[in-house]
Amino acid sequence: MLRRHGRWTGPLIAACFAPTAFGQATVNPDAEGRNIEGVPAPAIERFDPVLDAWWQDAVFYQVFTRSFADSTEGPWANDGTGDLRGLIERLDYLNDGDPTTDDDLGITGLWIMPITESGGYHGYEVLDYINVDTEFGDNETFRELVRECEKRGMRVILDVVLNHSSWNHPWFLEAQSSPDSPKRDWYIWADQDPGYKGPWNQKVWHQSPAGDGSWYYGVFWHGMPDINFENADASAAMLEVVRYWQEEMGVHGFRLDAIRHLIEDGETQDNTPETHAWLQDFFRFYKSIDPDAVTVGEVWSNAEVATRFVGDQMDIAFEFDTAYALIDSVSRQDRERLDVVLGDVLRLYPSGMYATFVHNHDMHRAANRFAEVEGATDEDIDAMIRLAASLQFSLPGVPFIYYGEEIGQRGMYIDYDNRAPMPWSTAPHAGFSSVEPKQEVNEGWRERNVETQRAVPGSILNHYRRVIGLRHAHETLRKGELVVLKTDRPEVFALARRPIKVGEGDTARTFGEGDFLCVFNLSGEVVEDAAVYLPEELRSRGVEDVLGGLMVLATGFEEVWTLPELKPRSAAYLKLD
């Protein structure tokens, strides 16, 4: 017999918490981004796009604190582990706060992966939801980090793990102690093994450590039991965690881990109506604390599923289909998957209401994916990384960068390899620490480090600075509508970005200051006489090449624009007069 409570609808009250965590929350159930639910999608209610929020102008950087920088002074200094003080010391690399300089990366949003006390290396096995792990610093240092970010025009969002706790969390230890425990129903129990598997055929029912014959539900693994969000007290306790980080610690929003799994209905274990209803309550709650706060959700599924969470449950969702398409199109030197995926994105999402990325902490790094291309040299790999960045920053949506991506850092999807220390220089220990890092630096760090790449004009790092700078300089590239253009070559991809009007009457606003045409040669060879087919509104224009991907620049366009030559793996951003 399953023990469940009705969905919480009561007041948002504070609850006691002695929060707790080994396995990782985010597991890819669907490596190709296909719909695995096996049921028809319900009708999708479209929301008007929100284009005037601060986060629509932001470029986010994802930081794994343990591996970013070891501090050079203070109580956490020089111990071989990254910490919050080390992150503060390196903030000028991300954004120095001076708009007249051009040697920072231009980051305006910081996503900090879990930093509270945890039972696991990665932080998703939560032991304490509100206290910073003493390995990284303390809560006051975190407040200082937020203040220092704000001085530089950056805002901070924190990874919050709502779906589960550690099995060593005091909540779960109390819950397993007795069927009569007040916290028993904070988790999901059965008197015997229900026997069914999880969404990707994994084991989800686990025998209680108490040895009383009961079973508990944990969708990711036995060390991370799921919270029962149909219990009013458990739900309120998690909302209090959110309130604490907003009001007491000053965060500007949250990255929401594994949110499609929050509430189950028997064997239906993701994307349930109850999950959507709880998130609607959650949306109203965090917006009541700070209307400008942003949430970005991890809905690891296709666009048709992810878009159902956007608009009234979270502000934006990570667009996994687009991430796969970016890697695949560059690797295969073919635009086909980009055409299909972007067609779905345009059809399904309110304009720009999603987050773009090339890879994250649960994937192989881009450098490793491109190394799988037959015959690829190191120079080819670097060129493919630059091309993927150009594609990402030409698209609508809010861009996210995984730390080290901007220098081509290597890493396979194994926790310790994909989250290796950031290489800062050719100094001992890659400039990460004055002592041997507790985790080994990835291979190739002597060439792929910040110091070395700063000095090379055509490096991956300097290319990232250029495309980020272009995006900051032109509102059309941040918020304009997307028009995918036809070409006569599978290896040539082209798009236009145009100003977009939102709303009607006196409240209507136009976002963008002119048209852009972006053309990409996905192949490793020079392409000659490629044709791009232009809609009437883009014809006969003067043009300024603001990125420099063309060998010969045209001065005006007709219905068919023939490009004499495109450099290998190049991107041309053309501003139309």
Side-chain angles (χ1 to χ4, degrees):
M1 170 179 181
L2 302 184
R3 300 189 58 178
R4 308 297 301 275
H5 280 206
R7 186 176 70 85
W8 169 81
T9 57
L12 306 176
I13 59 172
C16 62
F17 39 172
T20 343
F22 186 145
Q24 178 158 321
T26 40
V27 175
N28 180 6
D30 176 24
E32 292 299 318
R34 294 183 294 269
N35 185 358
I36 63 170
E37 281 70 21
V39 296
I44 297 171
E45 180 182 356
R46 289 295 296 258
F47 291 85
D48 290 336
V50 177
L51 297 179
D52 56 356
W54 65 267
W55 39 268
Q56 283 286 9
D57 290 310
V59 174
F60 280 90
Y61 193 86
Q62 177 187 354
V63 168
F64 186 54
T65 302
R66 180 187 300 276
S67 295
F68 193 65
D70 189 4
S71 54
T72 60
E73 56 183 28
W76 298 280
N78 304 316
D79 63 357
T81 297
D83 51 65
L84 293 176
R85 177 65 56 192
L87 176 53
I88 292 171
E89 292 175 1
R90 296 288 187 173
L91 284 180
D92 283 350
Y93 163 72
L94 302 177
N95 191 325
D96 62 11
D98 184 350
T100 65
T101 62
D102 60 3
D103 58 351
D104 59 0
L105 194 55
I107 298 301
T108 51
L110 191 62
W111 161 19
I112 299 179
M113 296 172 68
I115 54 168
T116 59
E117 193 175 340
S118 168
Y121 162 83
H122 47 67
Y124 289 95
E125 188 193 340
V126 183
L127 289 165
D128 185 330
Y129 284 100
I130 62 168
N131 288 307
V132 170
D133 192 318
T134 55
E135 193 171 19
F136 307 137
D138 55 26
N139 287 29
E140 184 50 45
T141 307
F142 183 87
R143 290 188 186 95
E144 181 183 350
L145 170 65
V146 173
R147 292 192 296 269
E148 289 298 322
C149 285
E150 290 174 340
K151 289 178 184 178
R152 293 164 171 80
M154 300 169 62
R155 308 202 198 195
V156 176
I157 67 172
L158 183 68
D159 217 321
V160 63
V161 185
L162 295 174
N163 181 71
H164 52 265
S165 73
S166 168
W167 67 340
N168 288 316
H169 191 295
W171 291 348
F172 188 74
L173 293 177
E174 183 176 338
Q176 69 165 323
S177 66
S178 168
D180 298 322
S181 165
K183 287 193 171 56
R184 184 71 167 186
D185 284 327
W186 285 37
Y187 296 87
I188 302 163
W189 298 90
D191 296 334
Q192 56 188 12
D193 184 0
Y196 55 81
K197 296 292 185 69
W200 49 98
N201 201 37
Q202 82 280 22
K203 181 180 176 65
V204 296
W205 286 98
H206 316 282
Q207 210 156 12
S208 173
D212 59 3
S214 62
W215 295 73
Y216 65 94
Y217 180 85
V219 69
F220 291 109
W221 81 302
H222 69 268
M224 298 194 304
D226 278 40
I227 301 290
N228 179 12
F229 280 93
E230 293 187 309
N231 178 281
D233 293 335
S235 181
M238 295 306 292
L239 291 173
E240 175 62 13
V241 170
V242 169
R243 184 211 61 77
Y244 175 82
W245 285 99
Q246 285 186 275
E247 292 186 350
E248 304 297 328
M249 304 299 286
V251 301
H252 306 96
F254 301 95
R255 181 263 186 181
L256 304 177
D257 182 64
I259 58 166
R260 69 189 182 118
H261 303 288
L262 290 188
I263 300 178
E264 302 74 28
D265 183 8
E267 295 187 43
T268 304
Q269 298 166 66
D270 53 8
N271 309 319
T272 62
E274 293 83 1
T275 291
H276 290 291
W278 191 91
L279 286 168
Q280 287 170 337
D281 287 342
F282 170 78
F283 185 88
R284 288 188 288 269
F285 177 73
Y286 78 80
K287 290 292 188 184
S288 72
I289 298 171
D290 179 6
D292 291 332
V294 65
T295 53
V296 53
E298 183 206 38
V299 184
W300 199 323
S301 189
N302 61 36
E304 191 162 350
V305 173
T307 192
R308 298 180 218 163
F309 290 81
V310 170
D312 66 344
Q313 298 162 60
M314 69 191 67
D315 295 291
I316 51 177
F318 284 110
E319 222 319 282
F320 282 87
D321 283 356
T322 299
Y324 293 130
L326 290 173
I327 291 288
D328 287 352
S329 294
V330 173
S331 297
R332 299 171 185 175
Q333 305 180 45
D334 188 298
R335 61 175 289 162
E336 180 180 7
R337 190 162 187 190
L338 268 175
D339 284 344
V340 172
V341 166
L342 292 179
D344 287 342
V345 167
L346 287 171
R347 174 176 60 88
L348 293 167
Y349 287 95
S351 182
M353 299 284 284
Y354 50 89
T356 63
F357 63 104
V358 176
H359 62 85
N360 65 19
H361 58 288
D362 289 315
M363 300 172 169
H364 299 320
R365 285 185 177 270
N368 293 71
R369 289 292 303 274
F370 294 140
E372 297 171 356
V373 174
E374 185 176 358
T377 64
D378 285 344
E379 290 76 16
D380 292 330
I381 294 168
D382 289 357
M384 286 187 273
I385 294 171
R386 289 192 295 267
L387 179 57
S390 297
L391 283 163
Q392 180 191 6
F393 280 84
S394 73
L395 296 175
V398 181
F400 281 70
I401 301 169
Y402 186 42
Y403 83 96
E405 178 180 332
E406 75 280 9
I407 56 172
Q409 187 169 343
R410 302 291 179 107
M412 297 292 287
Y413 175 46
I414 305 167
D415 273 358
Y416 290 93
D417 196 51
N418 195 19
R419 306 181 196 192
M422 177 80 169
W424 291 99
S425 69
T426 56
H429 318 306
F432 171 79
S433 177
S434 64
V435 301
E436 187 74 28
K438 293 183 180 177
Q439 181 182 340
E440 187 177 357
V441 183
N442 286 128
E443 63 178 16
W445 63 267
R446 287 178 176 82
E447 297 77 32
R448 296 168 182 259
N449 65 73
V450 172
E451 179 185 64
T452 297
Q453 293 209 11
R454 268 181 168 155
V456 179
S459 69
I460 298 170
L461 175 59
N462 283 315
H463 183 78
Y464 263 91
R465 284 178 175 149
R466 291 184 71 195
V467 294
I468 292 171
L470 280 174
R471 192 176 182 95
H472 285 320
H474 300 288
E475 188 179 47
T476 301
L477 290 174
R478 301 193 302 274
K479 302 177 181 180
E481 70 172 329
L482 170 67
V483 181
V484 178
L485 304 176
K486 292 182 179 180
T487 71
D488 68 341
R489 307 286 180 88
E491 69 271 29
V492 177
F493 177 68
L495 60 86
R497 298 295 305 280
R498 313 203 68 215
I500 185 172
K501 182 179 179 181
V502 177
E504 301 291 340
D506 294 339
T507 61
R509 288 190 60 187
T510 297
F511 296 91
E513 75 300 328
D515 297 335
F516 274 79
L517 180 63
C518 302
V519 185
F520 307 88
N521 177 5
L522 303 176
S523 78
E525 307 293 335
V526 172
V527 172
E528 298 181 344
D529 299 325
V532 179
Y533 300 94
L534 301 175
E536 185 172 355
E537 58 270 19
L538 294 175
R539 298 174 196 167
S540 300
R541 301 287 198 91
V543 63
E544 175 189 358
D545 185 359
V546 297
L547 191 62
L550 298 178
M551 288 183 173
V552 179
L553 187 62
T555 57
F557 309 135
E558 299 300 328
E559 180 178 358
V560 179
W561 178 39
T562 301
L563 292 83
E565 289 185 329
L566 281 171
K567 299 175 185 178
R569 297 192 173 98
S570 66
Y573 282 44
L574 309 173
K575 190 174 188 298
L576 304 184
D577 295 337

